[in-house]
Amino acid sequence: MQPRVTAVLVARNGADYLPRTLAALAAQSRRPDSLLLVDSSSSDSSGALLSEFGGAVITTPGRRSFGDAVAHALQVTGGASTENEWLWLLGHDNAPEPGALAALLGAVEVAPSVAIAGPKLMRWDAADTIAAFGETITTFGRSVQLVTDELDQAQYDVQSDLLAVAAGGMLVRRSVWAALGGFDSALPSVDAALDFSVRARLAGHRVVGVPSARVATAGAPELFGKRSLSAGAQNRIRRAAQLHRRLAWAPALAVPLHWLTLVPLAALRSLVHLVAKRPGSVGGELAAGIGAAFDGSVPAARRSIRRTRVLGWPAVDAFRMSTGQVRERRAQERAAAAIAFSGHREGPGFFGGGGAWVVLLALIVGLVAFGRFLGAGALAGGGLVPLSPSVAELWAHVGYGWHDIGMGFLGAADPFAYVLAVLGSITFWSPSFSIVLLYLAALPLAALAAWWCAAAFSRRGWGPAVAAIAWAFAPPFLASLSGGHLGAVIAHILLPTVVLAIVRAARSWAMAAVAALLFAAVAASAPVLVPALVVILVAWMLARPRGILRLIGIPIPAAALFAPLVVEQLARGNWLALLAEPGTPVLQESPSGWQLALAAPAGGLHGWDALLAPLGLPGLVPHVAVLVLLAPLAILALLALFLPGTARSVPILVVALLGFATAVASTHIAVSLIGSQATPIWSGAALSLYWLGLVGGAVVALDSLGARASAPAWVAGLALVAVAVPALVATASGSIAVAESTGRLLPAFVTAEASSRPDLGTLELQAEPDGGLAVTVHRGGGTTLDEQSTFAATDTTLTDEDSRLAQLAGNLASRSGFDIAAELDALQIAFVILPPPAATEDAQATHLRTAESLDGNRLLTPVGSTSVGYLWAYEGLADGEAPSGPGPTETTLGLGILIGQGVIFGLTLLLAIPTTRRRRVRSARGADSDETGAVAGEEADDE
């Protein structure tokens, strides 16, 4: 008897595909005997197209899945199924070739045991490429497509029996469809056909693939009726389908065990997704696990299997993909991906392109300039003081807790404390030694970072080589090193890698995480750069909207570090204080506008004025010399605007403008107090960003000049080295603020006493230039760099504790009847130190008057002159407890802050750890018009 075929065509928002599908259906050499046209509540013109084709259109109530739409259509039309009646299931994007139905019927007519036959699905836009043909499962139940995106060379035309076939183009005996209850409603798209095919096999039927039947398809089943679907959503759908099948197929005794492991396994797999650089899949993974735990459709699915099963699971196991086959398949996919993406843009090599030589030069110059620190255990001077003597103390100063500064306070630590804790932990046996190593390696590290960044933007070696020289010998960098501005030094070294990571973060989750960590380190080291960096990041988001999910998370770790301090400063009403330079406040003059334009944060002419002064030359000569030496870099940066590659030069010069604007603003923001004097923010970090933009412009220009770049590169490189000569000479001769230190902050006598009494106080009285007296309290061995706090340095309010301390200092500096002993006992102050005064008459007069008063006080015993000032001891100190408070882990708030920050940074580190193979993406348009506008050959996550 001739088999009867009912074609069921389901459309949902498929107006773009229906004309071709309907035309292909009409062109079949073996036409279906009847046709059911189903519109699953489309919002486009799908319903009209179906009506124009002819026949009644069945509209489903609500948006139904493909399987539910087929079931609804069959229920509406009614009619009893016969053994020789078949259903041909098609979606709006399934255009069959003319002989497809005839080939499918030919396969089932010669094999009565076959209940399901599936065609070879071909790509909609490439008729010679197999989109899918056959499906199976692994040992652990994960669904696997046997063939995907392969050129059709008849290599699979001998296959017949399969575990499962796709829903699109499936030919199924109607009686089997009715007996099995159609597709499982709990599987709306993914694995619906797989589950149905497996149940058919358990019911004693065969499933075959028919290679000669070819049907076009436009996408995976989860995309049916959708324009697009994110990778995370696809992972959620597939994982939810897998978990539903696992619960529905598992033996009864194993179901409780599977159910108990759903949520823990989802959490574990979420961590795996993070490590594998797939954070977008984490939410879907958790949602799938929790959803499966409350999946009420599982009992019905298990009852359906029990009702229809006549064979055991060995009938399915024979078609599973073994573990060895899975490994082999993955190896083949990796090999194919490596071949497909093996091409990459040519760029300069580190050794062949001159990078190694520049780094070596920077290392030699750095050792000559800072070689006198080779035997040092610590450094001090300017804004630099030693770190705490132990790693435990370093980490005790992070987060939210008690700070022994002045009278002490409970509050948030600077984010820079985390940077210092990490830095000091590198040399855990002597934390302060890490700063010595940083100074010795500062120049080569800066050169390496700049070369690495510039090489990603260049095709030739001249640009990266000049960038490495310019960055290692950058005037603001050398000025920050000389003045002990450690935060600005760290920010300068990291800035090129931050820029490179942000650029690459648009395509890579791993680089996004690296960028987040570097962004946090730079923000903590130089808060004044945060506004400019945020502007750069937002601009890159607008330029790369497809990567916005990766880019938008970059500031999160930095925000987590700053959040406690932001809350406290905003509560105080002093939000500009958030931009204050971390570390020890340093009194400094604001450079003029033209000095900022010359990248001189400390004023002057980069030392050329002092170097040429003994020669008796006119005062204009140093200005001309500096302008001439800086001119090649400036000319190259401006020339980049008029050479090929403007799309790259404009953004990088905008970065220079942002840096300069930040530097100008910083000189007008005086938020840190030193005694009664306010000092502006150090502009060195902002000028580093300004310098970065200029160097970037020069790199673009040299890259565009090609073979003609050698002469400008030599001129610019030599000129930039020459600019740095006075600063390097001053550093090597010891004529800078930073010097070798023993690691002691207070006299040895005080340090010895404090070794057994860490809470012992030392009162420091400093004569101010205006004749006032600044007072502070040091605990133990002194206030280390990691104990410094911008919250304290920017405090302009006079508290009761401040008044109490001022009263004590005033009575010590003059004779009075005040009970000094009781106050010293209460505050546990055992020493008074009087540092040398400023070079003003008022300061010297105040210093002399204070010294005489202290000498005349019978309670104080003169110890003598020390390296940090004159010292007196209070030997009658009574037993007691100094003002103190809880540490960062001793309060609920402090512990919560540490846990929150720890979780954020832990997850970011997991995401940043390289665990997957990476490929380089080649631009088809060349470097000048590359997709990024700046970088050819970006890395992409291999997910």
Side-chain angles (χ1 to χ4, degrees), residues 56-157:
V57 177
I58 302 170
T59 302
T60 64
R63 293 169 63 91
R64 298 289 185 94
S65 66
F66 180 81
D68 286 348
V70 172
H72 176 76
L74 295 176
Q75 183 181 8
V76 169
T77 56
S81 61
T82 63
E83 188 61 27
N84 208 26
E85 183 178 2
W86 295 81
L87 300 175
W88 193 23
L89 310 183
L90 297 168
H92 58 245
D93 61 338
N94 295 140
E97 292 189 355
L101 180 56
L104 290 170
L105 287 173
V108 300
E109 286 175 347
V110 299
S113 60
V114 174
I116 300 174
K120 186 188 292 181
L121 294 180
M122 313 303 292
R123 279 183 52 177
W124 185 270
D125 56 350
D128 59 348
T129 303
I130 305 173
F133 185 48
E135 193 172 4
T136 185
I137 55 177
T138 65
T139 305
F140 297 102
R142 183 172 64 86
S143 59
V144 179
Q145 295 286 341
L146 292 175
V147 184
T148 54
D149 288 329
E150 289 190 32
L151 188 65
D152 188 8
Q153 298 175 317
Q155 67 270 42
Y156 298 107
D157 285 4

Side-chain angles (χ1 to χ4, degrees), residues 367-459:
L367 290 177
V368 171
F370 299 103
R372 58 196 179 90
F373 297 153
L374 281 172
L379 299 178
L384 196 60
V385 293
L387 299 177
S388 293
S390 70
V391 172
E393 290 180 75
L394 284 177
W395 288 101
H397 295 146
V398 303
Y400 183 92
W402 180 261
H403 299 268
D404 275 325
I405 301 176
M407 292 291 286
F409 68 94
L410 184 66
D414 289 335
F416 191 52
Y418 276 102
V419 177
L420 294 176
V422 172
L423 186 64
S425 298
I426 297 174
T427 56
F428 55 89
W429 62 94
S430 178
S432 292
F433 184 60
S434 62
I435 299 179
V436 178
L437 291 181
L438 179 63
Y439 264 70
L440 294 174
L443 267 61
L445 284 177
L448 180 61
W451 189 93
W452 185 26
C453 178
F457 291 78
S458 304
R459 291 171 295 179

Side-chain angles (χ1 to χ4, degrees), residues 643-834:
L643 292 173
T646 305
R648 294 183 292 164
S649 59
V650 171
I652 198 66
L653 290 179
V654 170
V655 170
L657 184 60
L658 281 172
F660 184 74
T662 303
V664 172
S666 66
T667 61
H668 292 83
I669 301 175
V671 289
S672 295
L673 296 176
I674 303 174
S676 60
Q677 302 177 83
T679 184
I681 298 173
W682 173 249
S683 60
L687 289 178
S688 289
L689 186 63
Y690 164 61
W691 193 259
L692 178 70
L694 295 178
V695 173
V699 169
V700 174
L702 291 172
D703 199 44
S704 300
L705 288 172
R708 296 168 293 177
S710 57
W714 274 107
V715 172
L718 292 175
L720 290 171
V721 173
V723 169
V725 167
L728 294 171
V729 170
T731 301
S733 63
S735 302
I736 61 174
V738 177
E740 181 179 351
S741 170
T742 60
R744 292 198 306 267
L745 297 166
L746 296 175
F749 186 75
V750 176
T751 304
E753 289 292 324
S755 62
S756 58
R757 290 278 308 277
D759 61 342
L760 209 60
T762 299
L763 189 69
E764 179 183 330
L765 304 176
Q766 174 68 60
E768 295 278 278
D770 60 357
L773 195 65
V775 57
T776 187
V777 176
H778 301 283
R779 294 289 172 187
T783 306
T784 57
L785 186 62
D786 48 290
E787 286 183 288
Q788 298 292 335
S789 169
T790 57
F791 187 74
T794 58
D795 187 9
T796 58
T797 60
L798 186 65
T799 64
D800 293 340
E801 290 78 8
D802 294 331
S803 300
R804 180 182 179 184
L805 196 59
Q807 184 181 24
L808 173 62
N811 283 280
L812 281 171
S814 60
R815 300 176 185 276
S816 70
F818 183 76
D819 188 359
I820 295 175
E823 196 67 359
L824 293 176
D825 290 339
L827 298 177
Q828 287 294 287
I829 293 176
F831 300 96
V832 179
I833 192 167
L834 188 64

